[in-house]
Amino acid sequence: MERRNWKHLMMLFMLVAAMSMVAVGCGSNTNNAGAPATGNAAGNAPAASDAPAEAAALTLGLLPSIDAIPFIIAHEQGFDKKHNVNLEIQTFKSAKDRDVAFQAGKVDGISADLVAISIYNEAGLDVKITSTTTGEFDLLTGNDGVQGVKDLKGKTVILSKNTSTQYTVAMMLKQAGLTEEDIKVTEVPQIPTRLELLKNQKADAAVLPEPYVTMGKASGLRVLSSTKTAGINPFVLAFPQSVIDAKGQAIQDMYAAYDEAVAYMKSHDQSEYIDLIIKEVGYPDTLKDQITVPEYLPANQVDVKEVEAAFAWAREKGLLTKNIPAEEVISDVQFKK
């Protein structure tokens, strides 16, 4: 990386490290692979042979969270090979570790969020969004006096600053007629610690991902809002433009496998794959009957307005100084315009 980007890269590592909350305390079931093999370029004609072309390798760097499940099922059920792509899934316990692998070129694509996308591109990395993913953050409380987001005025909320969790809270507050200045923020990047503080009434609300949402509800906490109910979806899958150029067909094949995995989950009883979700996301076995599996949808592209809103917030926070239009970070490798 050129010297002029070093400052931005250091900011990237410091800021996105807080995203490791999604995976803190979770195990890592990794299908480890070395440097990704070069896949078929988009649009290349198949070799003139009766034998099927060798499946292209595509390495994904994922956090053990709910948005990773369709990709994992696609690989576990062999849908990837059916569609002529070999998904090599590497799961990381923290976003920082994932980003180190990403910077080193050891993974082709990563699960990320819109705030992280702004930071990557601010640092000079040509990273493009290829689709949304199905993730979720919930805003929980244990304070009986807080019955809605509007009741958080003057109250303490635990989150991680300069990340998608803070962005999520900002959007929820805006919908309730409040601003970030209306609340008191306590920064706690570690999600297990955040949950314990909330359970012990050391704060009025906190942003949590799964499996901590289910764990919190089991201990009596209540959900005030979520990215789903608030209509916010900052979760995306992203690839460098160089990988998109080299492995465009493999990315398209990956999405075919992803969509088949989504169809599989819709047509099969939850009991047939719930153990995999427990293992990958890190739910306690004791909460098996309380787990709500998301209604996964076939892959779709991010809404330009979502990107614009996240980038506008990132500019307000000083995370993004470049004038980067939303369209410039959205790839049409899968969803042609």
Side-chain angles (χ1 to χ4, degrees):
M1 184 58 60
E2 298 179 5
R3 291 180 63 86
R4 63 188 176 87
N5 288 328
W6 180 251
K7 180 179 179 181
H8 287 150
L9 286 175
M10 289 301 295
M11 179 180 69
L12 184 155
F13 284 125
M14 288 187 289
L15 293 175
V16 301
M19 292 164 53
S20 62
M21 64 174 190
V22 180
V24 174
C26 298
S28 176
N29 180 34
T30 306
N31 178 15
N32 286 311
T38 301
N40 296 329
N44 284 359
S49 172
D50 293 335
E54 182 179 353
L58 197 66
T59 308
L60 299 181
L62 308 177
L63 298 175
S65 57
I66 59 174
D67 57 351
I69 297 303
F71 295 104
I72 293 170
I73 287 182
H75 180 69
E76 292 289 331
Q77 294 294 323
F79 299 144
D80 54 346
K81 291 181 176 60
K82 175 181 175 181
H83 291 282
N84 206 40
V85 61
N86 181 24
L87 293 183
E88 299 173 351
I89 296 174
Q90 297 188 25
T91 55
F92 297 90
K93 290 183 177 180
S94 74
K96 182 177 180 180
D97 291 342
R98 178 207 59 194
D99 287 329
V100 169
F102 186 48
Q103 293 279 335
K106 293 183 178 180
V107 295
D108 293 320
I110 56 172
S111 58
D113 62 73
L114 296 177
V115 175
I117 295 297
S118 73
I119 296 171
Y120 295 144
N121 283 278
E122 173 74 10
L125 306 178
D126 190 9
V127 179
K128 300 291 176 64
I129 299 166
T130 56
S131 74
T132 61
T133 59
T134 304
E136 185 173 334
F137 291 145
D138 285 36
L139 183 63
L140 278 74
T141 184
N143 185 339
D144 292 337
V146 177
Q147 294 299 313
V149 176
K150 62 181 178 56
D151 298 324
L152 289 175
K153 187 171 183 177
K155 300 294 193 298
T156 301
V157 178
I158 304 176
L159 47 75
S160 183
K161 292 182 178 179
N162 297 329
T163 68
S164 57
T165 58
Q166 185 180 5
Y167 169 69
T168 295
V169 169
M171 296 301 102
M172 291 176 178
L173 290 171
K174 183 178 181 180
Q175 292 177 8
L178 301 177
T179 68
E180 292 181 73
E181 286 69 36
D182 288 320
I183 64 171
K184 300 173 184 176
V185 172
T186 297
E187 182 170 21
V188 180
Q190 299 82 6
I191 290 302
T193 303
R194 193 178 304 178
L195 177 58
E196 289 305 311
L197 289 172
L198 193 57
K199 287 165 59 177
N200 292 319
Q201 300 182 341
K202 300 298 184 181
D204 299 294
V207 182
L208 299 169
E210 290 292 4
Y212 301 97
V213 172
T214 298
M215 294 163 64
K217 290 193 294 185
S219 65
L221 301 179
R222 294 177 290 106
V223 175
L224 293 173
S225 185
S226 70
T227 48
K228 182 178 179 180
T229 58
I232 307 165
N233 186 20
F235 310 101
V236 297
L237 193 73
F239 290 82
Q241 183 61 51
S242 58
V243 173
I244 293 172
D245 292 339
K247 298 189 176 186
Q249 184 60 56
I251 292 172
Q252 293 174 17
D253 295 339
M254 173 200 71
Y255 280 117
Y258 179 98
D259 287 349
E260 187 161 353
V262 170
Y264 168 87
M265 284 187 282
K266 287 183 181 295
S267 62
H268 288 70
D269 190 88
Q270 181 173 307
S271 62
E272 297 183 41
Y273 55 83
I274 192 63
D275 288 338
L276 179 63
I277 292 179
I278 289 173
K279 178 181 179 182
E280 295 296 336
V281 181
Y283 288 98
D285 287 330
T286 55
L287 299 181
K288 185 173 185 177
D289 295 334
Q290 301 180 44
I291 299 172
T292 300
V293 178
E295 294 183 8
Y296 292 101
L297 298 175
N300 59 90
Q301 188 51 285
V302 67
D303 188 330
V304 172
K305 292 182 179 179
E306 288 264 13
V307 182
E308 290 174 342
F311 277 24
W313 181 85
R315 289 189 184 93
E316 290 178 6
K317 299 301 176 183
L319 305 177
L320 181 62
T321 63
K322 295 179 179 178
N323 183 21
I324 304 175
E327 291 83 359
E328 287 189 8
V329 299
I330 301 175
S331 171
D332 66 352
V333 64
Q334 174 66 14
F335 307 101
K336 301 297 182 182
K337 298 178 181 178

